[in-house]
Amino acid sequence: LLARLRAADYAHDSWMFWGEASVGKSGVAVGYAWEFLRTVGETVCFRAVPDLLDELKATFDRNATAPAWDHDHENQPTERDVLERLKTAGLLVLDDIGVRKPSEGMFHLLFDILELRKSVPTIITSNKSLDELGEIYTDGRIYSRLAAGTVMMFAGKDRRLRDDGSVDVYQI
């Protein structure tokens, strides 16, 4: 699969990888990111969407709640700083989109991020299909941005579970 996704050959494409948990979506995204870094030589930014949205929300909370005497918050990244990192990365990987439904404000920020990335390499991973994401992001704009790239479904069994569905438990 990575041979088909050679970064030098697909340096301007966007991809959406979806499938059940632990079938290799994030692993392939990381492999592609390494190949992109090696062959194209541009920066790669890998972010879990829930963490990214929390970081963006913190920029609002920090600026809204910081007392005037607290200058430490001035050294923290602003919303603009975070968005600029995402915009200027040669490749952006957004991992686990759709894990939780964002608030209205975070929905708009997620749309803005996808809009910034619409002509540059971006990989998005999700446990939800494109149609399921369309049900979460109901106004169609995010769905449209996700559908514009190459959508790949990953099938298989959860690599974290044994064949019988159980997990190894160790007593300490």
Side-chain angles (χ1 to χ4, degrees):
L1 180 60
L2 281 178
R4 185 172 183 282
L5 298 175
R6 283 187 34 102
D9 297 335
Y10 297 97
H12 301 289
D13 286 350
S14 291
W15 302 83
M16 182 185 160
F17 300 158
W18 73 274
E20 295 296 323
S22 193
V23 293
K25 303 173 300 290
S26 299
V28 170
V30 167
Y32 182 90
W34 276 108
E35 181 71 5
F36 183 91
L37 191 58
R38 186 181 70 75
T39 59
V40 179
E42 294 182 24
T43 59
V44 173
C45 181
F46 188 104
R47 296 302 309 266
V49 173
D51 295 341
L52 174 60
L53 294 178
D54 286 346
E55 181 182 4
L56 286 165
K57 183 178 182 307
T59 66
F60 307 140
D61 294 345
R62 188 171 40 252
N63 294 333
T65 61
W69 53 265
D70 181 9
H71 298 290
D72 186 46
H73 79 280
E74 294 172 2
N75 295 325
Q76 301 296 318
T78 64
E79 173 191 357
R80 176 179 271 168
D81 295 333
V82 174
L83 292 176
E84 188 64 21
R85 276 196 323 258
L86 302 175
K87 178 182 176 183
T88 59
L91 170 68
L92 175 63
V93 179
L94 295 173
D95 193 37
D96 282 338
I97 191 170
V99 167
R100 62 180 181 214
K101 186 172 183 172
S103 67
E104 187 69 21
M106 291 299 106
F107 167 85
H108 290 291
L109 279 172
L110 188 54
F111 171 78
D112 290 344
I113 292 165
L114 295 174
E115 187 67 15
L116 289 171
R117 300 296 304 183
K118 70 180 177 182
S119 61
V120 287
T122 305
I123 296 175
I124 297 161
T125 72
S126 182
N127 290 352
K128 301 195 180 307
S129 70
L130 198 53
D131 289 340
E132 290 171 314
L133 290 171
E135 293 172 12
I136 295 171
Y137 308 111
T138 56
D139 85 344
R141 296 181 301 160
I142 288 180
Y143 178 90
S144 175
R145 288 341 176 254
L146 296 173
T150 301
V151 178
M152 298 181 74
M153 186 193 87
F154 282 59
K157 62 181 182 177
D158 188 325
R159 293 178 300 111
R160 295 181 186 117
L161 302 178
R162 287 196 225 145
D163 289 338
D164 65 0
S166 65
V167 297
D168 291 323
V169 178
Y170 299 96
Q171 186 173 2
I172 300 175

